[in-house]
Amino acid sequence: MRCPYCGSLDDKVLESRTMVNGESIRRRRECISCGYRFTSYERIDEKPFMVVKTDGRRQPFDRQKLEKGIERALEKRPFSTAMVEQICNDIEDSAIKKAKEEREIPTSQLGELVLEKLYEIDKVAYIRFASVYKHFENLDEFITEVKNIEKRGKKQ
């Protein structure tokens, strides 16, 4: 590692710590040439996880978009920020598993994963998300979806 002070390539690691749930390593280093101490971080550089839009375009998975959609669906519902984060983690993990080696998932599959998760935890949030995701055009479509929830609930 090049010393930011003198430019020398000779250094020694004084301390290493795992950071952020094991996703990175922080290393305290000391330059052997000048004695300057500095910190470096080591992270896995993964191939980006891609989302395939309905028109065929591909774009990197944006966790913030996922969080925003789920937060909107759960707005004014009894869920903490930590719970929303856990829901997003679960959905992201499921999406990555479904995407397998191609490291991409269609938006339709991603939307279905969100709907499944919201159905498990909160039916109101499910309906809110479904109304946007499924592009309800009128009240009849909305009522049909609510009736489908009632039917699924009776089967279980």
Side-chain angles (χ1 to χ4, degrees):
M1 180 77 53
R2 184 180 307 278
C3 173
Y5 190 74
C6 73
S8 171
L9 292 174
D10 293 326
D11 70 78
K12 65 181 176 181
V13 175
L14 303 174
E15 173 190 17
S16 292
R17 283 192 188 174
T18 304
M19 306 289 289
V20 192
N21 300 327
E23 294 177 11
S24 66
I25 298 174
R26 175 184 175 266
R27 299 192 195 282
R28 278 302 283 158
R29 298 175 179 270
E30 181 176 29
C31 177
I32 294 172
S33 300
C34 70
Y36 184 75
R37 291 185 176 195
F38 58 100
T39 303
S40 66
Y41 294 90
E42 183 178 318
R43 291 180 189 82
I44 295 172
D45 189 17
E46 291 184 14
K47 182 179 169 186
F49 178 57
M50 302 297 280
V51 175
V52 182
K53 302 294 228 173
T54 51
D55 65 2
R57 289 181 296 128
R58 286 167 171 69
Q59 67 182 63
F61 173 79
D62 186 349
R63 185 184 164 96
Q64 287 181 323
K65 275 187 182 179
L66 177 66
E67 284 179 5
K68 187 177 174 184
I70 291 171
E71 284 172 355
R72 295 287 303 264
L74 291 170
E75 198 168 30
K76 297 184 182 176
R77 303 296 298 158
F79 291 93
S80 67
T81 305
M83 183 87 167
V84 170
E85 192 168 313
Q86 184 58 50
I87 292 165
C88 291
N89 288 343
D90 293 346
I91 292 169
E92 186 175 1
D93 290 346
S94 296
I96 289 170
K97 285 177 190 170
K98 279 195 182 260
K100 298 180 183 139
E101 291 185 20
E102 298 88 39
R103 303 236 356 118
E104 60 184 39
I105 188 169
T107 53
S108 58
Q109 280 187 358
L110 187 57
E112 290 301 322
L113 288 172
V114 174
L115 285 173
E116 285 174 27
K117 191 67 177 175
L118 290 176
Y119 183 84
E120 289 173 19
I121 62 166
D122 189 89
K123 305 305 185 265
V124 173
Y126 170 86
I127 286 294
R128 286 178 176 172
F129 190 85
S131 67
V132 175
Y133 174 71
K134 294 183 176 185
H135 307 290
F136 291 167
E137 298 287 329
N138 56 46
L139 185 59
D140 291 334
E141 291 176 359
F142 192 85
I143 291 169
T144 302
E145 192 67 33
V146 171
K147 287 180 180 176
N148 288 341
I149 287 176
E150 289 174 350
K151 287 178 191 174
R152 281 170 71 178
K154 288 177 184 175
K155 288 179 185 177
Q156 293 176 350

